[in-house]
Amino acid sequence: MGTVSDIKLIDEKGLRIDGRSPEELRPIKIETDVLNRADGSALIEWGGNKIIAAVYGPREAYPKHNQDINKAVVKARYNMEAYSVDERKRPGPDRRSMEISKVISEALESAIMVEQFPRAQIDIFIEVMQADAGTRIAGLTAAAVAVASAGIPMRDLVTGCTAGKVDGHIVLDLCKEEDNFGQADLPIAVLPKSGKVVLMQMDGDMSVEEFDQATGMVMNAIKRINQIQRDALKNKFETSTGEVGE
Ligand code: CDP
């Protein structure tokens, strides 16, 4: 969260630096089955983000001491490629990617029927090929589609979006400049059917009223994003079987 005050992020008409209105999402496109050797996969393009999620499993967890006799272990690994950002990122895991991998794993675990696969492991690889703010949420949203497309039983999908505070205004789905120079960034992910919140992190500060406004905006957007996820899965099942797989 930057503090550069001379960058104008909202104009006189209330429009944002990329021309969007406060509650407008960036374009989102999801495609499933983009990798032949994964059990399930999805490519998400969300604004300037381009992220692939690949799922392998469930298979027997190895080494054995990682096994849980009651449920499958869900292991997501979020990785940002060196070339995905303006300034080359040092390849390999770092504190940020480890934290993101952990919160994404936990969010997915609440959606997957892990109790059906004792001693198993489900691996989910999230590769950020192009980053443009909101990658943890875009990666998680794609990962949920990839898990569903692998045929792994789920209670629900996981759908996410961010809201934030920019030039004193609460806006939806921050772009890179808003993320860098805004006052707050609030990524949230939910299980859309139950409305259960499974990921929430915040950077910056906002009042309780602004927080309520931001979460309200996210919850509205979740419905739209969930529909895009479902359409991607529907396309998959329509293409492969000629029927709608709902
Ligand atoms: O991507 P997300 O918003 O989930 O996480 P963040 O840590 O708030 O990062 C915001 C954005 O900063 C990323 O989406 C990237 O575009 C950028 N970034 C970067 O340029 N270099 C990094 N090492 C990390 C993030």
Side-chain angles (χ1 to χ4, degrees), residues 33-53:
D33 297 307
V34 290
L35 299 172
N36 288 343
R37 294 186 191 91
D39 292 317
S41 60
L43 167 67
I44 191 163
E45 291 177 52
W46 183 328
N49 292 310
K50 281 200 175 81
I51 303 172
I52 279 198

Side-chain angles (χ1 to χ4, degrees), residues 5-52:
S5 52
D6 51 347
I7 293 187
K8 206 165 161 33
L9 292 168
I10 307 267
D11 73 10
E12 317 66 56
K13 293 194 200 120
L15 295 180
R16 298 154 69 178
I17 195 156
D18 57 6
R20 282 183 294 154
S21 60
E23 222 167 318
E24 194 175 335
L25 286 167
R26 293 175 290 177
I28 302 175
K29 217 167 86 186
I30 305 176
E31 193 185 332
T32 60
D33 297 307
V34 290
L35 299 172
N36 288 343
R37 294 186 191 91
D39 292 317
S41 60
L43 167 67
I44 191 163
E45 291 177 52
W46 183 328
N49 292 310
K50 281 200 175 81
I51 303 172
I52 279 198

